[in-house]
Amino acid sequence: MALDIGPAHGREALAKLAEEQVDHRFKGLPPDAHGLTVAELADQRRNLFTGGFTTPVLALSAERLEHNLRLMETYSARHGLAFAPHGKTSMAPQLFHRQIEHGAWGITLAVPHQVRVARAFGVQRVFLANELVDAAALRRLSAELDADPDFRFVCYVDSVRGAGLMDAALTQAGATRPVDVVVELAAGEGARTGVRTEEECAAVADAVAGARSLRLVGVAGYEGEVPDADPEKVHAWLRRLVALAVDFDKAGRFAAAGLDEIVVSAGGSAWFDAVADVFAGIPALSLPVLKLLRSGAYVSHDDGHYRELTPFNRVPEEGALEPAFRLWSQVVSRPSPEQAFTNAGKRDAAYDLHLPFAQVVRRDGVERPATGIEVTGLSDQHAWLRTTGEADLEVGDWLGTGLSHPCTSFDKWQLIPLAEADGTVVDYIRTFF
Amino acid sequence: MALDIGPAHGREALAKLAEEQVDHRFKGLPPDAHGLTVAELADQRRNLFTGGFTTPVLALSAERLEHNLRLMETYSARHGLAFAPHGKTSMAPQLFHRQIEHGAWGITLAVPHQVRVARAFGVQRVFLANELVDAAALRRLSAELDADPDFRFVCYVDSVRGAGLMDAALTQAGATRPVDVVVELAAGEGARTGVRTEEECAAVADAVAGARSLRLVGVAGYEGEVPDADPEKVHAWLRRLVALAVDFDKAGRFAAAGLDEIVVSAGGSAWFDAVADVFAGIPALSLPVLKLLRSGAYVSHDDGHYRELTPFNRVPEEGALEPAFRLWSQVVSRPSPEQAFTNAGKRDAAYDLHLPFAQVVRRDGVERPATGIEVTGLSDQHAWLRTTGEADLEVGDWLGTGLSHPCTSFDKWQLIPLAEADGTVVDYIRTFF
């Protein structure tokens, strides 16, 4: 099996993205650019508003993206955290590499397909925030680990049965290099995945110790699922996680041959301030500790869910993320003074946490606030707008909307214009969902 | 500009789909198939359950798809309806062509990007169920109409301003062949797009008559948006639509040079029985009438929304659609007797109308009903399951779920295994969203 992995292959794959042809696969791009390569189109530096782009079109702000990348780089460094931003958010190898250039240790992912994407583009350190019991995916993983000694991979294990299934599949695959695992501690009763009690964690760790093809390298969890989360409860759970690492270390569970650091990992996009607080107090263990933060939504941030939940609201002195997406659609119907419809729907906008937020209207090159305009619903291919008497909105106008939830915004677009503040599109971001 | 359109180009583009490489772009496929072409993988006739596919993976039933294609073909023929199934549902050119082979007149679409996809694969008759006022898209459309005399295109117009914007953009593009439009009648006050009153419809028709680059060819609408719909209200609205066509015809509005038929179009997936009823009563007009039904969801049907709403529930003697999707995911965590988690989330399953429905569990090659198992939520990459004491579910098990809403099921998968009842995957369906 040709694996097509490793840094050199990754650089080549990344370069090839620029040579992809602009065609029917990618929505929103200028029809008269079809047949150009992505690089050729980027070199034309077309304007988003006058360069022939068709609606709906999602734009990512070049400046805001850069700001967010820098902010989490400095934040992580200031707090002594290694950073493995969750790549499921964007699934964009170009952004994975920009995150790594901005100091990230590696990339967190959720499922084997996502690992495949990251590996195809040369990502050498992957944290899979899930138990992995799929025999076919484990065969592939094992082949990659054996073929590429520089490939660092860590995943969750949260059950004795899971450890057993992994070991069986890896043994059958003839794995020579063990798979590094961390025991996942659940965020509480009724929370998502993860082992519910410290006693069960020890049993899972025992199962790992008894598995020929697994190596225990730490503990991890996701504080974002703490039930009825508040700062106190989140801190308390993070302290449980750290205590688990300490207990495991005292019990000699990290004494495996060749292990040179202990992984302690947590951190979504709502509580990384608490993670920074509690991880700052991790005591000295028998090996250096890799304190791994996994926040992913910061890369584009948003105008809804994460705008409300971002830890920077609690620590404004440490900075502020900037919402980097704007979805442009066009008014195609204005059937009454109270109603209007644009051509962006569920296929184009995140809708799982909030509806899009009407922000600005453009007509004849003039942009103004979307006064009196509210998005009240989405069909598959339409946005429903309610308008008050204040609204000046006509068929043909472009409506700029903010979105809520980066993960379900990225996943509706396969090639996203990266636009500067004046509308100049300087690059295109390819996603793989 | 090379347009890359027309039937010969379309056949070639369709053939090229089979030559695409199986790689990181496509989730769920066997890792050891990477590097094969789609045709080579299809020729291997792998089994969905034993052939190395990774979870989550969405499968489309080959037999059920074929059944649904045949059923709507016979239904349309029996009722004297031309059929332009809504292609936004699948955005799969292979399915567009199977629909056309099964008697469809053409394909309905919602936005210019979707037209671009259909045209790239040789679809020669397109009904765009939206007003189109995007200048860049109209330039492209006009170039295609002028380059390909066999390209038949019809779109909505629902405002005087819209007609004016279209005419201006087409005139500026130097269009020589007029764009065929139908006046869209709204489904009622507060409904979606469309002209609200017959008086306004006449004004829009006047605007079209005065537009050099437009030609009025009929009337259309979408009964699926009738407020508080019931059979009586839907019938009443459809009779309004037919009366509008009759009035327009009497007023000589379809007397444009070269016009050889009048288009009357309606029909989503919830009320096509009413459309068949009312359209059967369209009186003789000055030209033959193309009675165009646009239902799209039938192609995969579903286990939720359309299972409840399908007109075949009212006319079972005319047949029954079969839900053709099953999403397979794997249990990755079983943290308590009441909870389990699989690795399929919002990225994989439709969630806008219902959550997935737990149907069957597979372990060691044995499939049994998913007794005592309910999907209670979706994270981005996880399904939350509630289990009762009856449930026999362990880490590693595959869970087969039914989905609700074909449109938001197709759009999460770019290459979908087409599997026979015994699990043999006989082809792969490529989508373009």
Side-chain angles (χ1 to χ4, degrees):
Chain A
M1 171 165 57
L3 291 178
D4 295 346
I5 53 171
H9 178 81
R11 279 191 298 274
E12 194 184 316
L14 212 55
K16 273 189 188 162
L17 289 183
E19 300 310 314
E20 278 200 293
Q21 206 174 69
V22 174
D23 62 18
H24 58 272
R25 290 172 299 168
F26 308 119
K27 58 186 181 177
L29 302 191
D32 67 351
H34 287 155
L36 298 179
T37 66
V38 171
E40 287 165 348
L41 179 57
D43 284 346
Q44 293 185 355
R45 296 177 65 85
R46 293 201 188 196
N47 188 281
L48 189 68
F49 307 110
T50 60
F53 290 82
T54 57
T55 53
V57 61
L58 179 69
L60 185 63
S61 160
E63 296 90 349
R64 290 173 169 221
L65 169 68
E66 178 64 20
H67 168 87
N68 294 341
L69 290 169
R70 285 179 190 277
L71 182 60
M72 285 308 289
E73 178 181 21
T74 56
Y75 184 90
S76 304
R78 185 185 309 125
H79 293 281
L81 298 168
F83 191 29
H86 210 315
K88 65 147 184 177
T89 298
S90 74
M91 285 311 296
Q94 292 151 285
L95 298 186
F96 294 172
H97 280 278
R98 290 190 63 181
Q99 291 171 314
I100 290 166
E101 287 158 18
H102 278 280
W105 170 90
I107 299 294
T108 296
L109 295 161
V111 289
H113 168 256
Q114 296 178 345
V115 178
R116 173 76 184 105
V117 172
R119 295 291 294 155
F121 291 89
V123 174
Q124 289 294 83
R125 294 201 194 107
V126 168
F127 186 98
L128 181 70
N130 244 328
E131 188 163 82
L132 176 56
V133 292
D134 184 309
L138 285 164
R139 261 198 308 279
R140 167 82 196 188
L141 173 68
S142 162
E144 286 198 30
L145 284 169
D146 287 350
D148 181 358
D150 296 326
F151 175 30
R152 180 89 191 275
F153 176 89
V154 179
C155 75
Y156 284 177
V157 60
D158 89 342
S159 62
V160 170
R161 178 174 168 85
L165 290 171
M166 285 187 77
D167 193 38
L170 289 166
T171 301
Q172 199 178 5
T176 61
R177 198 173 144 200
V179 171
D180 287 348
V181 296
V182 291
V183 170
E184 184 195 8
L185 178 68
E189 277 308 313
R192 209 162 66 183
T193 58
V195 183
R196 292 294 155 88
T197 67
E198 278 72 0
E199 291 68 25
E200 291 170 282
C201 285
V204 173
D206 286 342
V208 171
R212 218 188 108 271
S213 54
L214 302 179
R215 182 171 77 158
L216 186 70
V217 300
V219 299
Y222 176 46
E223 77 297 330
E225 293 289 350
V226 167
D228 306 314
D230 62 25
E232 196 180 338
K233 291 196 188 82
V234 170
H235 277 78
W237 178 80
L238 287 162
R239 284 192 296 267
R240 266 186 74 196
L241 181 68
V242 169
L244 181 66
V246 171
D247 287 351
F248 274 15
D249 190 48
K250 282 189 185 147
R253 294 192 182 278
F254 300 129
L259 193 62
D260 56 6
E261 63 185 358
I262 294 166
V263 178
V264 181
S265 176
S269 295
W271 295 104
F272 52 73
D273 56 335
V275 174
D277 281 356
V278 176
F279 281 13
I282 295 179
L285 301 182
S286 61
L287 289 170
V289 177
L290 184 77
K291 303 172 183 181
L292 201 59
L293 182 71
R294 301 194 309 271
S295 323
Y298 80 103
V299 67
S300 70
H301 196 51
D302 75 9
D303 280 294
H305 188 70
Y306 289 103
R307 177 193 282 272
E308 289 168 27
L309 293 189
T310 176
F312 288 114
N313 292 341
R314 288 184 292 269
V315 289
E317 66 281 8
E318 296 213 52
L321 294 168
E322 295 178 352
F325 273 137
R326 184 166 274 174
L327 175 65
W328 291 98
S329 60
Q330 188 174 32
V331 178
V332 292
S333 183
R334 185 77 164 106
S336 79
E338 297 77 33
Q339 280 189 293
F341 295 87
T342 78
N343 57 2
K346 291 179 187 172
R347 255 66 186 271
D348 312 297
Y351 56 87
D352 54 324
L353 301 178
H354 299 90
L355 291 171
F357 305 96
Q359 294 178 326
V360 293
V361 174
R362 286 185 72 95
R363 185 189 305 157
D364 299 330
V366 179
E367 192 172 304
R368 58 195 158 72
T371 310
I373 301 168
E374 187 188 0
V375 180
T376 59
L378 291 179
S379 300
D380 288 347
Q381 311 281 166
H382 293 92
W384 294 60
L385 311 183
R386 187 188 301 136
T387 54
T388 68
E390 284 186 302
D392 175 13
L393 193 68
E394 290 185 348
V395 167
D397 292 351
W398 281 32
L399 179 71
T401 50
L403 301 176
S404 181
H405 201 180
C407 302
T408 50
S409 301
F410 273 108
D411 70 12
K412 294 176 178 67
W413 295 87
Q414 296 187 39
L415 193 62
I416 303 173
L418 185 69
E420 293 182 344
D422 69 354
T424 305
V425 177
V426 294
D427 202 356
Y428 295 83
I429 305 298
R430 182 78 158 97
T431 66
F432 294 95
F433 288 98
Chain B
M1 171 164 61
L3 291 178
D4 296 346
I5 52 172
H9 178 81
R11 277 190 299 275
E12 195 184 315
L14 212 55
K16 274 189 187 162
L17 289 182
E19 301 309 315
E20 278 200 293
Q21 205 174 67
V22 174
D23 62 19
H24 57 272
R25 291 172 298 168
F26 308 119
K27 59 187 181 177
L29 302 191
D32 66 353
H34 287 154
L36 298 179
T37 67
V38 171
E40 287 165 348
L41 179 57
D43 284 348
Q44 293 185 353
R45 296 176 66 86
R46 293 200 187 195
N47 188 282
L48 189 68
F49 307 110
T50 58
F53 290 82
T54 57
T55 53
V57 60
L58 179 69
L60 184 63
S61 159
E63 296 89 348
R64 290 173 170 221
L65 169 68
E66 177 65 21
H67 169 88
N68 294 341
L69 290 168
R70 284 180 191 276
L71 181 60
M72 285 309 289
E73 178 181 18
T74 56
Y75 184 91
S76 304
R78 184 185 311 126
H79 292 281
L81 298 168
F83 191 29
H86 210 316
K88 65 145 186 179
T89 298
S90 75
M91 286 311 296
Q94 291 151 287
L95 298 186
F96 295 171
H97 280 279
R98 289 189 64 180
Q99 290 171 314
I100 291 166
E101 287 158 18
H102 279 280
W105 170 90
I107 299 292
T108 296
L109 296 160
V111 289
H113 168 255
Q114 296 177 345
V115 178
R116 173 75 184 107
V117 172
R119 294 291 293 155
F121 292 90
V123 173
Q124 288 294 81
R125 293 200 194 107
V126 168
F127 186 97
L128 181 70
N130 244 327
E131 188 162 81
L132 175 55
V133 292
D134 184 311
L138 285 164
R139 260 197 310 279
R140 166 83 196 190
L141 172 67
S142 160
E144 288 198 28
L145 284 168
D146 286 350
D148 181 359
D150 295 327
F151 174 31
R152 178 88 192 275
F153 175 89
V154 179
C155 75
Y156 284 176
V157 60
D158 88 342
S159 63
V160 172
R161 179 174 167 85
L165 289 172
M166 285 188 77
D167 193 37
L170 289 165
T171 301
Q172 201 178 3
T176 61
R177 198 173 143 200
V179 171
D180 286 348
V181 296
V182 290
V183 170
E184 184 195 8
L185 177 68
E189 276 309 312
R192 209 164 66 185
T193 58
V195 183
R196 291 295 154 88
T197 67
E198 278 72 0
E199 292 68 26
E200 291 169 281
C201 286
V204 173
D206 286 343
V208 171
R212 219 188 107 269
S213 54
L214 302 179
R215 182 172 75 159
L216 186 71
V217 302
V219 299
Y222 176 46
E223 77 298 331
E225 293 289 350
V226 167
D228 308 313
D230 63 26
E232 196 180 337
K233 291 196 188 81
V234 170
H235 276 78
W237 178 82
L238 286 162
R239 285 191 296 265
R240 266 186 75 197
L241 181 69
V242 169
L244 182 66
V246 171
D247 286 351
F248 274 14
D249 191 49
K250 281 188 186 149
R253 294 191 182 278
F254 300 129
L259 193 63
D260 56 7
E261 63 186 357
I262 295 166
V263 177
V264 181
S265 176
S269 296
W271 296 104
F272 50 73
D273 56 335
V275 174
D277 280 356
V278 177
F279 281 14
I282 296 178
L285 302 183
S286 62
L287 289 170
V289 178
L290 184 75
K291 304 173 183 181
L292 200 58
L293 182 70
R294 303 194 308 272
S295 323
Y298 79 102
V299 66
S300 70
H301 196 51
D302 76 9
D303 280 293
H305 188 70
Y306 290 104
R307 176 193 282 271
E308 288 167 29
L309 294 188
T310 176
F312 289 113
N313 291 341
R314 288 184 292 269
V315 289
E317 66 280 10
E318 296 213 51
L321 294 168
E322 295 179 353
F325 273 137
R326 184 165 276 174
L327 175 65
W328 291 97
S329 60
Q330 187 174 32
V331 178
V332 291
S333 183
R334 184 78 165 106
S336 79
E338 297 78 32
Q339 280 189 295
F341 295 88
T342 78
N343 57 1
K346 291 179 187 173
R347 255 67 184 271
D348 312 297
Y351 56 88
D352 53 323
L353 300 178
H354 299 88
L355 291 171
F357 305 96
Q359 294 178 326
V360 292
V361 174
R362 286 185 72 96
R363 185 189 305 158
D364 301 331
V366 179
E367 191 172 304
R368 56 196 159 74
T371 310
I373 300 169
E374 188 188 0
V375 179
T376 59
L378 291 179
S379 299
D380 288 348
Q381 311 280 169
H382 293 92
W384 296 59
L385 311 183
R386 188 188 301 135
T387 54
T388 68
E390 282 187 304
D392 174 14
L393 192 67
E394 290 184 348
V395 167
D397 291 352
W398 281 32
L399 178 72
T401 50
L403 301 175
S404 182
H405 200 179
C407 302
T408 50
S409 302
F410 273 108
D411 69 12
K412 293 174 178 70
W413 296 86
Q414 297 187 40
L415 194 61
I416 302 173
L418 185 69
E420 294 182 343
D422 68 355
T424 304
V425 177
V426 294
D427 201 355
Y428 294 83
I429 305 297
R430 183 77 158 95
T431 66
F432 294 94
F433 287 99

